[in-house]
Amino acid sequence: PLYLSVPLVLDDEHKSSAANWHSILGVWALGRMSTVYETVGETEDTPSLTNCSLELRHCLESILTPWIAKEVVLVHADVAATCERLHVEDAHGVRSVALDKAAHLAQILATRSETAICMWTPHMRSQLIEFITAHEGMGVSEARGFIFKALQHELCIAGVYLRTIVNVPDALSTVTNAGRLAHCILCFLAANCPEQPQGNESPFAPVAVAWLK
């Protein structure tokens, strides 16, 4: 059920340590549930995600924003890789590694983060809690059409919130591939700006020059 998919993950930072501890476990659990594979056909070398994991990933992208959802999915793989590298095999040790890896995401969900690639605020958390409460007992597919009001007018291209890098130029340092971002912005302009009469200078030329410098 959708309500059970995001249990105490949304607790505020001032809640008890026990609740926050369960929130961290909740992030890890969501990571594990979204990375369950099954063997397709007779070849065991080509596993694919189960339908439940695929559906959960789509749900997380809607209700946690794409970047946070991606980080939640990666938590389980990160935990497994760390345990293998450190030769951690006992349940207590694995749980300790998981808590360490998932803590920063639980902290973001309980507070706020406004960067070039991550947008999460207390208002967004409140809206999500209202949505989950209203859809208690329903499947995760109910989240497909969920949209945060705070993000309705945010221009996000290639996973980057442009308002943030305009207001805080240093935020561009968090973008891993500025060249790809520039290309995507130009493609967006080309697709959304009106065409110019033949012979007129393209309105995209100054933008292209500015980004290529």
Side-chain angles (χ1 to χ4, degrees):
L2 178 61
Y3 186 74
L4 297 179
S5 296
V6 190
L8 294 170
V9 173
L10 302 171
D11 275 343
D12 293 325
E13 61 176 337
H14 63 272
K15 294 291 182 69
S16 67
S17 59
N20 287 331
W21 183 74
H22 283 102
S23 296
I24 296 171
L25 283 179
V27 171
W28 182 32
L30 288 173
R32 293 190 65 177
M33 289 189 293
S34 62
T35 53
V36 178
Y37 290 87
E38 62 182 352
T39 302
V40 179
E42 301 179 355
T43 307
E44 296 184 359
D45 296 334
T46 57
S48 62
L49 286 171
T50 63
N51 290 334
C52 290
S53 286
L54 282 173
E55 193 65 38
L56 178 57
R57 289 192 180 196
H58 292 313
C59 169
L60 294 177
E61 287 183 359
S62 297
I63 66 176
L64 295 182
T65 73
W67 183 85
I68 295 178
K70 181 187 71 173
E71 292 299 306
V72 169
V73 170
L74 291 176
V75 161
H76 178 58
D78 193 9
V79 170
T82 300
C83 289
E84 182 178 0
R85 186 178 70 254
L86 300 178
H87 304 291
V88 177
E89 298 179 355
D90 62 289
H92 177 74
V94 172
R95 187 166 60 249
S96 297
V97 173
L99 293 179
D100 181 61
K101 297 294 183 181
H104 76 288
L105 288 175
Q107 177 69 11
I108 289 176
L109 291 171
T111 54
R112 68 185 303 138
S113 176
E114 295 185 62
T115 69
I117 58 177
C118 177
M119 192 70 67
W120 185 262
T121 66
H123 177 73
M124 293 171 63
R125 183 175 66 245
S126 298
Q127 183 188 348
L128 177 55
I129 292 175
E130 291 178 2
F131 175 81
I132 292 176
T133 303
H135 292 76
E136 180 178 353
M138 298 185 181
V140 294
S141 60
E142 292 295 317
R144 283 296 187 96
F146 179 78
I147 300 175
F148 286 106
K149 295 178 181 178
L151 300 181
Q152 283 182 328
H153 303 295
E154 286 284 351
L155 181 57
C156 183
I157 298 178
V160 177
Y161 295 99
L162 299 192
R163 179 178 61 84
T164 304
I165 63 175
V166 170
N167 293 341
V168 185
D170 289 344
L172 189 59
S173 61
T174 62
V175 178
T176 56
N177 192 332
R180 176 176 177 273
L181 173 61
H183 173 77
C184 291
I185 290 175
L186 292 174
C187 290
F188 173 83
L189 292 174
N192 292 276
C193 290
E195 295 183 4
Q196 298 295 306
Q198 189 173 2
N200 287 10
E201 182 183 1
S202 170
F204 315 124
V207 179
V209 171
W211 276 100
L212 292 174
K213 283 185 178 180

